[in-house]
């Protein structure tokens, strides 16, 4: 079955440290991939997306993600985390059928130590 | 601001009751998606409408129904509510007329069933 896996439920990093959030997908073909961020009590904001082409994609707020077909991964990275980055992060994949609905991972909650 | 609006922001009701959640998509977007975010199930796709017609169904209970009106706004109707229906309900919209595009999410409606 098609699925998106985020193996880390919680991650804690110190402010200024680098960050990598993991995401793996299980699909027959390469899906369209997304990272969304959800701050407490807020909706979902798109950080970045991968459709095709360059496997390193840049997003908003200094985030980037790298698509690795061989590992079925789409990990999110940021070189220096700010306290305001504390939030929940969701990886999602478009199932590439006629509906284009999204399948979400279970999310990773990021805590930032001062 | 994604351009997608949802009302109400919060809804508190009792078991057995019926509620209606409303979503106005971004101007010009023909596709509307409904998602449910709960603690035990995570973010799940419920249903999609495209230009007034149902396009895809996900894990939507028979007690739930939706429709999209000629002005493209959508409503999600939840009936015979149970405690387990307490969740954050998101609406998203997208434009498929100009090629693939990401989904833009509204701020959500938080439903609490007591």
């Amino acid at each position: 079955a098609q699925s998106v896996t985020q193996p880390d439920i919680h991650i804690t990093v110190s402010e200024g440290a680098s960050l990598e959030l993991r995401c793996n997908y299980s699909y027959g073909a390469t899906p369209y991939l997304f990272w969304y961020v959800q701050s407490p009590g807020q909706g979902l904001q798109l950080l970045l997306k991968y459709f095709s082409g360059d496997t390193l994609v840049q997003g908003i707020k200094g985030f980037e993600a790298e698509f690795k077909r061989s590992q079925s991964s789409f990990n999110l990275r940021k070189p220096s985390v700010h306290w305001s980055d504390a939030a929940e992060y969701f990886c999602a994949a478009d199932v590439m059928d006629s509906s284009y609905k999204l399948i979400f991972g279970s999310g990773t909650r990021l805590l930032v130590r001062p | 601001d994604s351009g997608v609006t949802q009302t109400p922001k919060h809804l508190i009701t009792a078991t057995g009751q019926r509620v209606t959640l409303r979503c106005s998509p971004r101007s010009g977007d023909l596709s509307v998606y409904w998602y449910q975010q709960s603690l035990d199930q995570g973010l799940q796709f419920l249903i999609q409408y495209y230009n007034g017609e149902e396009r895809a169904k996900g894990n939507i209970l028979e007690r739930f129904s939706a429709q999209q009106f000629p002005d493209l706004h959508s409503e999600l109707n939840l009936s015979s509510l149970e405690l387990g229906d307490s969740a954050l309900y998101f609406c998203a919209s997208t434009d498929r007329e100009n090629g693939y595009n990401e989904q833009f999410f509204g701020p959500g409606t938080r439903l609490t069933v007591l």
Side-chain angles (χ1 to χ4, degrees):
Chain A
Q2 300 162 331
S3 65
V4 174
T5 302
Q6 292 180 249
D8 304 306
I9 298 175
H10 295 100
I11 281 187
T12 301
V13 299
S14 298
E15 191 168 16
S18 63
L19 170 71
E20 182 168 28
L21 302 182
R22 296 183 290 167
C23 172
N24 293 94
Y25 64 89
S26 174
Y27 281 84
T30 300
Y32 294 158
L33 297 162
F34 307 85
W35 275 99
Y36 284 88
V37 61
Q38 183 180 28
S39 298
Q42 302 296 313
L44 295 165
Q45 182 182 22
L46 180 69
L47 287 176
L48 46 77
K49 60 194 177 190
Y50 173 77
F51 292 167
S52 64
D54 193 348
T55 56
L56 185 63
V57 294
Q58 302 296 321
I60 62 171
K61 303 185 180 187
F63 285 93
E64 66 179 26
E66 185 172 14
F67 169 67
K68 292 185 177 180
R69 185 189 307 274
S70 61
Q71 299 176 19
S72 298
S73 69
F74 187 56
N75 294 348
L76 182 72
R77 300 194 296 246
K78 186 169 185 178
S80 178
V81 169
H82 187 262
W83 64 265
S84 60
D85 293 324
E88 187 145 24
Y89 292 79
F90 292 93
C91 182
D94 184 319
V95 299
M96 306 291 283
D97 63 14
S98 61
S99 74
Y100 299 101
K101 61 180 179 283
L102 294 177
I103 302 293
F104 284 88
S106 54
T108 298
R109 183 167 297 279
L110 173 65
L111 304 174
V112 180
R113 279 194 297 256
Chain B
D1 185 355
S2 68
V4 179
T5 60
Q6 290 185 249
T7 56
K9 281 190 174 181
H10 302 278
L11 203 45
I12 301 175
T13 188
T15 54
Q17 296 298 304
R18 172 189 170 92
V19 297
T20 297
L21 313 184
R22 182 188 169 103
C23 167
S24 293
R26 292 188 320 154
S27 177
D29 284 358
L30 300 180
S31 280
V32 170
Y33 300 77
W34 286 97
Y35 293 86
Q36 179 196 58
Q37 184 179 30
S38 63
L39 284 176
D40 54 345
Q41 298 290 329
L43 263 164
Q44 288 197 102
F45 167 73
L46 293 179
I47 197 164
Q48 180 211 1
Y49 277 81
Y50 178 82
N51 201 20
E53 293 190 3
E54 181 184 304
R55 178 62 66 88
K57 263 187 175 180
N59 297 322
I60 187 166
L61 300 171
E62 286 192 11
R63 299 184 285 109
F64 295 1
S65 65
Q67 52 185 326
Q68 186 180 27
F69 295 85
D71 67 352
L72 300 178
H73 91 272
S74 178
E75 293 181 356
L76 180 66
N77 301 295
L78 315 177
S79 61
S80 303
L81 285 168
E82 301 175 0
L83 296 177
D85 297 328
S86 296
L88 193 52
Y89 291 84
F90 286 110
C91 165
S93 75
T94 192
D95 167 21
R96 298 293 180 199
E97 295 300 299
N98 297 304
Y100 190 84
N101 205 347
E102 68 264 23
Q103 294 182 24
F104 294 86
F105 282 78
T109 293
R110 182 168 295 282
L111 173 66
T112 303
V113 182
L114 300 176

